[in-house]
Amino acid sequence: MSFTWLKHYMPRSLYGRAALILVLPIVTLQLLVSVVFIQRHFSGVTEQLTRQLVNKAEVLIDMEPGSERDAVSRKLAVEITDVPESNVIATDIRAWNDLSGIVVIQVLHDRINGLESVTLGRDGSVVFFVSRNGNRYELKTQRGAVSASNPHQLLVNMLVFGLLMTLIAFLYLRNQLRPIARLGRAAEAFGRGRVVPYSPGGAVEVRAAGHAFLDMRSRIERHIEQRTMLLSGVSHDLRTPLTRLRLGLEFLDEDDRVPLERDVDDMQRLIDSFLDFARGMAQTDPAEPCDPNVLVGGICDGFSEAKTQVVFVPSDQTAEVKLRKASMQRAIENLISNATRFAARCHVSVILGPKSLCIRIEDDGPGIPVGQREQAMRPFIRLDPSRNQDSGPGVGLGLSIAADIARAHGGVLRLSESETLGGLRADIVFAR
């Protein structure tokens, strides 16, 4: 059997599902016990007591009026009175919420010949009229003689203690689920590039998962640190020989010096790109609340002197989002630089949704083929037919740095075709 349809009605959170697992059996058990109690206590006991009342009534009706009948009436706790026809009530009367009264009236009608009506008063009395051999009798007794007293007490006790035990169990369950929620928040924060304090707690299995997460986080941090130190060290060590080369080139003739200086400049750009890539992986700057419109607008103003027309389209909403300003600025500058390098127009827009932020860079350049977009975001990849081609000054790190920064913010860099300009569209999307 497939229960796929049931998933749409199930709670999505762990707290909701755990509460459902806890509450559903308790409610089901109480309903079953209540049904059994009503059937046996309300129906069975009431029917048995009512039959005893029928036997008492038959004894009194068969007796002649007099002191003997009065004595038996007092002993049986059932009053009997001869009444005229005008005093007889024609219909049965009971309260709408008197469940056991249904059984009382039904048994009396089934077992007493000549029964005309039954009245179950709110004062706790049972009055019924019987017509027998041309005479009419009014019989009256207390409600306790036909149904158990205080039949609602068991239901009230079940409800009160059921709610109390459910509350206690839910508090205990919440304490057990709290370490799982803390682990989830720590993992989510680390996925967005933030390291929050976390110490394993809870049950043995949850502690094991917490220690595994801490080990994984430490290994990832060591790997990033080692890779960053490697690139930073290599790039830094290359600056010294490049400086000596520049000094040595000053003693050469101009015809020989110019092409060599061009090679040295290219090497310098390569080193700067490596350092930017290393800084992008390190992500040392803290996340701070900032207005995306102000941040992106300031970056676009820095490209006012570029040959490519850079147009900024701000969002009509204003909200503060936690961002690493320096890292995000580096990512946006890389994407805009790519656009200005290969296109004549570039549109930069901020799209603020209820749960997400999208920074979009579009241009009218040649774009990137669909099959090569995933490859274009890898480090040191230079594509011939598109952005990172050999004729450009880049080294294949611009898109990779932007993708790493987007992932550090818990988001993603998406490449697609611009619907308005026809070139490449780069979207940095992450949750607010």
Side-chain angles (χ1 to χ4, degrees):
M1 295 179 63
S2 176
F3 295 94
T4 306
W5 60 273
L6 190 59
K7 294 181 179 179
H8 300 288
Y9 303 97
M10 298 296 291
R12 299 184 63 87
S13 65
L14 183 60
Y15 276 112
R17 295 186 178 186
L20 182 63
I21 295 174
L22 174 68
V23 172
L24 186 60
I26 296 178
V27 173
T28 304
L29 180 61
Q30 287 195 340
L31 288 177
L32 291 176
V33 173
S34 300
V35 170
V36 174
F37 169 75
I38 290 173
Q39 287 180 346
R40 293 184 61 86
H41 197 78
F42 277 19
S43 179
V45 175
T46 301
E47 183 177 353
Q48 182 179 1
L49 293 175
T50 307
R51 287 177 181 177
Q52 294 179 4
L53 176 63
V54 171
N55 296 331
K56 297 176 183 179
E58 292 291 348
V59 171
L60 293 174
I61 292 173
D62 292 340
M63 296 181 67
E64 294 293 335
S67 60
E68 184 179 358
R69 190 178 72 172
D70 295 339
V72 174
S73 173
R74 288 192 297 270
K75 185 176 181 179
L76 297 178
V78 179
E79 299 178 10
I80 181 170
T81 307
D82 297 333
V83 295
E85 183 179 359
S86 58
N87 291 350
V88 176
I89 300 176
T91 59
D92 298 330
I93 300 175
R94 70 173 181 88
W96 65 271
N97 58 346
D98 189 357
L99 300 179
S100 60
I102 300 176
V103 180
V104 173
I105 294 175
Q106 182 179 357
V107 174
L108 290 177
H109 276 285
D110 292 342
R111 293 188 171 269
I112 298 180
N113 295 327
L115 181 68
E116 296 188 358
S117 66
V118 180
T119 300
L120 303 178
R122 294 185 178 274
D123 58 350
S125 62
V126 178
V127 180
F128 54 98
F129 298 90
V130 180
S131 177
R132 188 80 58 83
N133 299 325
N135 299 321
R136 288 176 173 80
Y137 305 97
E138 177 187 2
L139 293 96
K140 182 177 181 181
T141 187
Q142 294 300 316
R143 182 61 182 269
V146 294
S147 60
S149 61
N150 300 325
H152 63 283
Q153 286 185 352
L154 178 59
L155 296 177
V156 172
N157 290 334
M158 288 176 53
L159 180 62
V160 171
F161 286 102
L163 292 176
L164 179 62
M165 297 306 298
T166 301
L167 178 61
I168 295 174
F170 181 77
L171 294 176
Y172 176 78
L173 180 64
R174 187 181 64 175
N175 291 333
Q176 296 302 311
L177 294 180
R178 188 176 299 167
I180 301 178
R182 290 176 50 245
L183 175 60
R185 289 192 295 268
E188 182 182 6
F190 185 65
R192 296 186 178 183
R194 301 193 304 270
V195 178
V196 298
Y198 170 74
S199 59
V204 176
E205 294 80 1
V206 181
R207 287 177 179 270
H211 287 296
F213 166 73
L214 291 178
D215 293 341
M216 179 193 67
R217 188 171 71 176
S218 299
R219 288 194 299 269
I220 293 176
E221 290 176 343
R222 285 197 304 269
H223 174 69
I224 294 176
E225 182 180 1
Q226 291 171 359
R227 192 173 65 167
T228 303
M229 291 179 61
L230 175 63
L231 288 175
S232 299
V234 171
S235 301
H236 182 271
D237 292 341
L238 288 177
R239 290 182 179 273
T240 301
L242 282 179
T243 303
R244 290 200 298 265
L245 285 175
R246 290 185 184 276
L247 293 176
L249 292 178
E250 295 296 331
F251 298 99
L252 297 180
D253 296 335
E254 184 176 356
D255 295 338
D256 297 332
R257 186 178 69 249
V258 172
L260 292 176
E261 285 181 343
R262 189 181 303 115
D263 293 338
V264 172
D265 292 338
D266 292 340
M267 293 178 65
Q268 184 67 49
R269 279 194 297 268
L270 286 172
I271 294 174
D272 293 338
S273 299
F274 290 155
L275 289 176
D276 289 339
F277 184 58
R279 285 194 297 267
M281 292 185 298
Q283 301 292 331
T284 57
D285 52 319
E288 299 177 357
C290 66
D291 188 348
N293 289 322
V294 177
L295 176 64
V296 180
I299 297 173
C300 293
D301 292 339
F303 288 87
S304 58
E305 298 181 359
K307 295 181 180 180
T308 302
Q309 180 185 6
V310 179
V311 179
F312 173 56
V313 182
S315 172
D316 54 356
Q317 301 180 10
T318 302
E320 286 193 346
V321 182
K322 280 193 173 183
L323 299 173
R324 291 184 172 88
K325 294 183 180 180
S327 301
M328 186 57 64
Q329 181 175 355
R330 188 180 305 120
I332 298 173
E333 287 178 349
N334 286 346
L335 296 176
I336 297 178
S337 297
N338 282 350
T340 57
R341 190 179 304 157
F342 298 101
R345 290 184 300 164
C346 174
H347 289 179
V348 183
S349 55
V350 175
I351 304 173
L352 272 170
K355 296 183 179 180
S356 63
L357 168 64
C358 175
I359 300 175
R360 177 169 296 173
I361 296 93
E362 302 177 274
D363 60 57
D364 60 351
I368 297 178
V370 178
Q372 296 180 343
R373 289 171 185 168
E374 187 69 24
Q375 183 183 5
M377 290 187 288
R378 297 177 182 175
F380 309 107
I381 297 298
R382 306 169 68 181
L383 305 178
D384 282 342
S386 185
R387 305 257 159 186
N388 298 318
Q389 54 191 356
D390 293 336
S391 59
V395 295
L397 289 175
L399 292 178
S400 177
I401 293 174
D404 283 344
I405 293 174
R407 282 192 292 268
H409 283 78
V412 64
L413 173 63
R414 298 172 182 168
L415 302 181
S416 59
E417 183 179 354
S418 174
E419 298 178 356
T420 57
L421 300 180
L424 181 68
R425 184 176 76 182
D427 291 337
I428 299 178
V429 184
F430 53 89
R432 294 177 54 177

